[in-house]
Amino acid sequence: MDENIVFDEDGFPTLCIVKERGREGLSLPDIKIASKSFFRLDYNMCPVNAFGMFSAPQGQYSGVYMKTREHTFGIMLGEECNPFLYRGENQKYDDFVPSAKRYDLSKIDSKLKQCLSWIKKQEFINLFKESPYYKRCKKFSVLDCNYDFDLEAVAQHYGFDTNYIDVTKDLFTALFFAYTYKDNNGYHPIADFSKYRPMLYTANMQLFDENIMDQIKIIGFQAVMRPYKQNALAIDLSDVSVKKYFSVWELPKDFAVSNAVFEHFYKGAVLFPDEIISRHADYILNDNNIDSSLLKEFCVSNKLDYDTVKENLEKEGFALTTLHYAFSPAELCVMNTEISGGIIPFLKTKIAYRGVSPMASGQ
């Protein structure tokens, strides 16, 4: 594998993995096509499958590069040949409902909440796009593909409403969300099981229909820590329902178990590390100032009267502003250092590159 030392136009080191001499016809495996092969049961018994992928010994690799669209790639974290997804919830619900669809739009206050949640998500995305994480990592190149950020997924993992539901390839991460509840002070282990009902949902991607596979989002690596620590994937539920593909398991109602899971993740600190992005996300979520241009955009797209919505928001204590969130010079320096000294070396040493033939990748 030829890993060139390349610098971007701003003089920062970047990631560039090029095709090896004599293997010019190879490309990255396509996630939707490859999943139907490397999750087959017979391949799970073999160290290497038809795509040249394998479940490496523990600790050798953390994930694999996968083609997501034409000329873009993502990174699937966790064991490559493990087809199972997990989701933990602390109640049993009739269906998976993404946060962006939990509003009763027949009520005025719910419409305002939906408006605020959309604006705050966009404010966060706009800020993230100004970060070195986004500006530098989107230039990363692997076999002629550039890195493909999923900004909805980033926003989802930092507390903003989207049409995604979180799933993970790590069982213990799912157990954390089944055995904890969240309030204004963070996550806590469930002690009162009269209020909560820990549930575990499991699904085998081998059994997903093609239209469901189209909605699977590779999230794990998004340059920031929270999705990575949670071994994250997501399912876009804008137009589909997937709960029928999941088996459901009611977990023991036992504080010893919930507390053990909670402590396993150091009271949640492992899954929710303190970082620059998380601090800005928390500030945006709690700020009473909202972007006036985004309010106008929301009203136009939802056919609402701008002045009426503005008046109702002001009655709730919100103020319109033309100012935008920004990172400090010190924060920019820290993020650039993380990319050069941490992210790029991690990708070069811990993420597996597999080249497959056009026939194998379905091209």
Side-chain angles (χ1 to χ4, degrees), residues 58-117:
Q58 185 68 27
Q60 182 173 346
Y61 290 116
S62 298
V64 62
Y65 297 110
M66 300 292 292
K67 188 174 184 179
T68 52
R69 297 195 301 269
E70 191 68 24
H71 303 305
T72 65
F73 75 88
I75 297 172
M76 178 178 284
L77 298 177
E79 290 187 0
E80 296 173 24
C81 294
N82 175 8
F84 291 99
L85 300 178
Y86 306 97
R87 177 174 171 82
E89 294 184 342
N90 61 18
Q91 297 283 3
K92 185 175 183 180
Y93 300 104
D94 292 334
D95 203 354
F96 296 145
V97 181
S99 53
K101 290 188 173 182
R102 296 174 187 171
Y103 297 100
D104 181 358
L105 298 182
S106 65
K107 300 178 180 178
I108 294 178
D109 62 333
S110 290
K111 289 182 179 179
L112 287 179
K113 290 177 180 177
Q114 182 194 41
C115 173
L116 283 170
S117 75

Side-chain angles (χ1 to χ4, degrees), residues 53 62 84 138 176 183 191 207 236 242 257 314 353 355 361-362:
M53 300 183 184
S62 298
F84 291 99
K138 72 176 182 177
F176 176 87
D183 61 18
L207 306 178
D236 185 351
V242 298
V257 177
E314 289 174 341
Y353 143 68
S361 63

Side-chain angles (χ1 to χ4, degrees), residues 8 25 33 47 78 104 115 132 156 178-179 188 201 229 339 351-353:
D8 64 24
I33 298 173
D104 181 358
C115 173
Q156 165 90 357
Y179 273 112
H188 309 276
Y201 298 89
K229 289 293 187 179
I339 296 168
I351 304 300
Y353 143 68

